[in-house]
Amino acid sequence: MSFDIFDKDEFLGILNTKFIGKNIIHNEITDSTNNLAKRENQNPDGTVFLADFQTNGRGRQGKTWISKKNEGLWFSVLLKPYVDIHKLSTLTLVTGLAVYRALKKIKCENVYIKWPNDIVFNKKKICGILSECSFKEDCIDYIILGVGINLYTEEFDSEIKNIATSLYYETGKKIKRCEFLAEILNEFEGLYLEWIENSIENIITDYKKACITLNKDVRIVINNSSYNAYVKDINNNGELIITKDGKEEVISAGEVSVRGVFDYV
Ligand code: BTN
């Protein structure tokens, strides 16, 4: 079996969505699939942009996302929902839950979501999500959900080797990209339609069960400072409710990183 080749026909055969991923644009190389989706935003709702290799993979908070050739799934989903902009903050949580469920479906144990939307496997990061939105006259024009999952990496660059992992590293298994991408999108579409149509409550309930950050002492990092806090809950806006020095505070994802008190998780 070759992991170099993304088999589009096999992908479409496994995909059982109504519209997400039906139009898939696969490039061998691009700067960033999020940038590509932005340039190609005239494509239909649910289009997926996939690359074997990104020369300028981008992470949250201006960080770089290392995306070497055929070491993982680097893709972005273009979405054009008619929803209130206040709902937006929870869509990355929905995406994280879809990836989490897809990993559970292939029998990965010890997988959790680290708030807001990192997926960790044995307490190391296996997946990150970067969502970006474009507005037109105070409404959503389009959303780009960028997902990076380390699948086959055996050795990580020194700057991330203590916090990053891959599916192969944890399980010794190499799942085909076409298969795993289809599984993720199958999970995602149901959650996404529920997110559009219903209240977020049920999704947040499931998210909380999968979230490793909940009911824990953590270290909150904002810019160059940090402090310890206890995570009490996650509200229906996807925000953390923490207690710090006996007082309750609400923290939204934005510029904040949450770490374990002694470790990454
Ligand atoms: C993070 O955890 O910081 C988010 C990482 C998101 C990486 C993915 S890879 C596909 C898409 N294209 C990008 O440039 N970034 C996202």
Side-chain angles (χ1 to χ4, degrees):
M1 178 162 59
S2 168
F3 297 96
D4 298 334
I5 295 160
F6 178 82
D7 189 330
K8 190 169 167 178
D9 291 336
E10 193 175 346
F11 166 77
L12 292 172
I14 306 168
L15 190 72
N16 61 26
T17 59
K18 294 192 186 97
F19 70 104
I20 304 271
K22 293 278 185 204
N23 185 36
I24 179 156
I25 296 173
H26 174 211
N27 282 8
E28 221 175 284
I29 180 167
T30 191
D31 51 346
S32 145
T33 54
N34 271 34
N35 297 354
L36 178 64
K38 218 173 279 177
R39 292 192 292 270
E40 300 279 328
N41 72 72
Q42 73 290 350
N43 272 281
D45 191 11
T47 296
V48 169
F49 299 84
L50 171 76
D52 298 340
F53 172 48
Q54 299 185 119
T55 54
N56 185 26
R58 296 187 290 110
R60 289 176 68 223
Q61 301 170 346
K63 289 186 187 141
T64 297
W65 181 262
I66 300 169
S67 1
K68 293 189 184 159
K69 188 166 164 63
N70 294 336
E71 288 207 354
L73 262 174
W74 327 126
F75 70 96
S76 302
V77 188
L78 176 69
L79 298 167
K80 303 179 177 179
Y82 295 101
V83 292
D84 191 288
I85 53 173
H86 294 106
K87 258 195 149 175
L88 268 180
S89 61
T90 49
L91 185 58
T92 47
L93 275 62
V94 170
T95 316
L97 189 57
V99 176
Y100 166 84
R101 285 187 180 172
L103 283 165
K104 284 287 183 185
K105 210 166 166 197
I106 60 164
K107 310 264 177 292
C108 293
E109 299 300 325
N110 225 353
V111 170
Y112 296 95
I113 303 171
K114 174 178 168 291
W115 183 89
N117 48 34
D118 289 352
I119 310 299
V120 293
F121 196 150
N122 286 329
K123 297 198 172 174
K124 287 184 169 182
K125 181 163 170 172
I126 189 168
C127 167
I129 297 164
L130 175 68
S131 65
E132 298 180 290
C133 190
S134 170
F135 300 94
K136 208 182 234 171
E137 289 157 13
D138 292 339
C139 292
I140 296 167
D141 186 15
Y142 59 87
I143 300 169
I144 294 165
L145 287 177
V147 181
I149 309 173
N150 303 321
L151 290 184
Y152 318 126
T153 316
E154 291 181 33
E155 232 175 83
F156 286 91
D157 292 3
S158 57
E159 67 267 33
I160 57 168
K161 89 164 191 251
N162 292 329
I163 57 165
T165 195
S166 71
L167 193 64
Y168 177 71
Y169 193 88
E170 297 302 332
T171 65
K173 288 184 203 141
K174 290 193 175 177
I175 189 169
K176 285 194 212 170
R177 285 184 300 160
C178 57
E179 198 180 315
F180 197 49
L181 178 59
E183 293 294 358
I184 292 167
L185 299 177
N186 289 344
E187 292 292 339
F188 176 71
E189 189 179 79
L191 283 166
Y192 175 65
L193 293 175
E194 190 182 338
W195 176 80
I196 291 179
E197 285 157 18
N198 301 327
S199 93
I200 189 78
E201 238 170 287
N202 289 343
I203 293 179
I204 293 287
T205 303
D206 283 359
Y207 176 94
K208 287 203 287 195
K209 285 183 198 150
C211 182
I212 201 168
T213 316
L214 199 55
N215 303 321
K216 268 189 118 179
D217 289 314
V218 294
R219 190 138 194 93
I220 311 269
V221 185
I222 305 179
N223 300 323
N224 291 328
S225 67
S226 64
Y227 57 86
N228 286 0
Y230 179 77
V231 179
K232 232 179 120 185
D233 205 356
I234 293 165
N235 66 19
N236 286 343
N237 296 321
E239 297 162 323
L240 280 192
I241 301 177
I242 59 158
T243 48
K244 180 193 161 202
D245 305 328
K247 281 196 202 127
E248 209 167 279
E249 276 181 34
V250 177
I251 304 272
S252 50
E255 296 303 301
V256 177
S257 291
V258 177
R259 298 286 173 112
V261 175
F262 301 110
D263 241 322
Y264 175 61
V265 172

